[in-house]
């Protein structure tokens, strides 16, 4: 049977939903859980290796079912909800009118409020989070580039399903997920250091990790935080 990139299937009649994905930079077949889509993604370095990815998934069916069952339920943005923004608990609120979102300190803690209701209100909250993510990540990217004597790359913010950041050294570009603004500042700083280090070494060799350590010290705690809490960041449905 011929398999193709993006194809969806299940290994059994009542099995977990699977999606095939080709990543030319992958060195081996692997499985990741797409929290937002509620499916397991089988990754292979080429379409020819997709059959190998499926064979590997057949040996991990119980693991796939457990991870899909354990994923956090999707959470939408609603007034009264509490979010962690840069490691600080923030309460979301709605205001009369159509004003843009703004963050203010109150006796009860920080409040992120925007005008409107429903989808319009959610868009204003999301716009604030994306803008803040860009500001913070741009600042940390610039700081790390200065440390290494590198020109500042072009930075963009998007919403990838599986990566917190990506770097294309040949083009001098770095992309970040806006969702990391929901992580503590040290994790944001690690992510910026990680992507800036890719401007020097495009792989994950010991030389690459040495550059990361030069910039922020031991990256292990920040990597562990993303592994532990990343599914929760992706569970925010916007």
């Amino acid at each position: 049977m011929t398999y193709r990139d993006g194809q969806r299937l299940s290994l059994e009649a009542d099995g977990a939903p699977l999606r095939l994905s080709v990543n030319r930079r992958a060195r081996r077949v692997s499985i990741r859980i797409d929290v937002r889509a509620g499916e397991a993604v089988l990754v292979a370095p080429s379409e020819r290796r997709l059959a190998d990815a499926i064979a590997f998934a057949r040996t991990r069916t119980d693991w796939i079912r457990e991870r899909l069952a354990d994923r956090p339920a999707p959470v939408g943005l609603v007034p009264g909800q509490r979010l962690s923004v840069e490691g600080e608990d923030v309460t979301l609120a709605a205001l009369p009118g159509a004003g843009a979102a703004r963050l203010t300190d109150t006796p009860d803690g920080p409040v992120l409020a925007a005008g409107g209701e429903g989808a319009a209100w959610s868009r204003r909250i999301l716009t604030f989070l994306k803008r803040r993510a860009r500001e913070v990540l741009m600042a940390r990217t610039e700081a790390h580039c200065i440390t290494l004597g590198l020109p500042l790359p072009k930075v963009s913010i998007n919403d990838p399903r599986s990566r917190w950041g990506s770097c294309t050294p040949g083009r001098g570009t770095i992309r970040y997920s806006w969702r990391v603004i929901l992580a503590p500042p040290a994790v944001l700083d690690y992510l910026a250091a990680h992507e800036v280090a890719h401007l020097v070494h495009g792989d994950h060799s010991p030389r690459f990790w040495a550059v990361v350590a030069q910039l922020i010290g031991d990256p292990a705690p920040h990597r562990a935080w993303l592994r532990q809490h990343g599914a929760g960041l992706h569970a925010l449905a916007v």
Side-chain angles (χ1 to χ4, degrees):
M1 181 176 180
T2 300
Y3 299 103
R4 65 184 185 278
D5 185 27
Q7 182 178 350
R8 285 181 165 81
L9 68 159
S10 63
L11 297 182
E12 304 167 4
D14 60 345
L18 308 176
R19 173 163 52 90
L20 305 182
S21 176
V22 173
N23 181 349
R24 306 293 178 188
R25 293 181 292 183
R27 294 186 176 183
R28 59 185 183 277
V29 299
S30 62
I31 305 171
R32 64 175 177 82
I33 302 301
D34 187 331
V35 175
R36 281 182 276 168
E39 62 189 6
V41 182
L42 311 187
V43 182
S46 66
E47 289 201 338
R48 181 176 57 84
R49 296 289 307 281
L50 287 174
D52 295 337
I54 292 173
F56 177 54
R58 292 185 190 279
T59 70
R60 304 298 303 276
T61 53
D62 289 343
W63 181 88
I64 291 172
R65 289 194 186 94
E66 289 171 2
R67 293 301 181 276
L68 287 172
D70 290 344
R71 75 188 191 278
V75 177
L77 293 171
V78 293
Q81 179 180 352
R82 295 182 68 85
L83 286 182
S84 179
V85 180
E86 296 179 70
E88 189 172 35
D89 282 340
V90 172
T91 300
L92 304 185
L95 297 173
R102 60 181 184 272
L103 184 65
T104 58
D105 288 323
T106 75
D108 295 322
V111 173
L112 178 56
E117 58 185 34
W121 175 85
S122 295
R123 283 195 300 271
R124 293 185 178 105
I125 295 294
L126 181 58
T127 296
F128 175 93
L129 294 173
K130 289 182 176 180
R131 184 175 65 248
R132 183 58 185 162
R134 180 176 178 80
E135 291 172 354
V136 173
L137 290 165
M138 275 288 295
R140 297 316 306 155
T141 298
E142 182 176 12
H144 293 314
C145 284
I146 290 173
T147 297
L148 297 179
L150 299 174
L152 183 65
K154 179 180 179 181
V155 173
S156 61
I157 301 295
N158 56 12
D159 193 14
R161 289 185 176 273
S162 61
R163 294 187 175 195
W164 303 115
S166 62
C167 175
T168 307
R171 297 180 180 177
T173 60
I174 290 178
R175 297 180 179 182
Y176 294 111
S177 168
W178 70 264
R179 293 175 184 268
V180 295
I181 197 62
L182 307 176
V187 175
L188 286 157
D189 196 30
Y190 155 70
L191 180 62
H194 184 117
E195 300 309 329
V196 168
H198 275 313
L199 294 171
V200 182
H201 300 291
D203 53 19
H204 288 98
S205 64
R207 292 183 304 167
F208 164 82
W209 289 113
V211 174
V212 175
Q214 174 189 345
L215 293 171
I216 55 127
D218 184 9
H222 315 307
R223 299 178 68 193
W225 192 97
L226 286 170
R227 285 194 298 269
Q228 181 178 355
H229 299 283
L233 273 57
H234 281 298
L236 189 62
V238 293

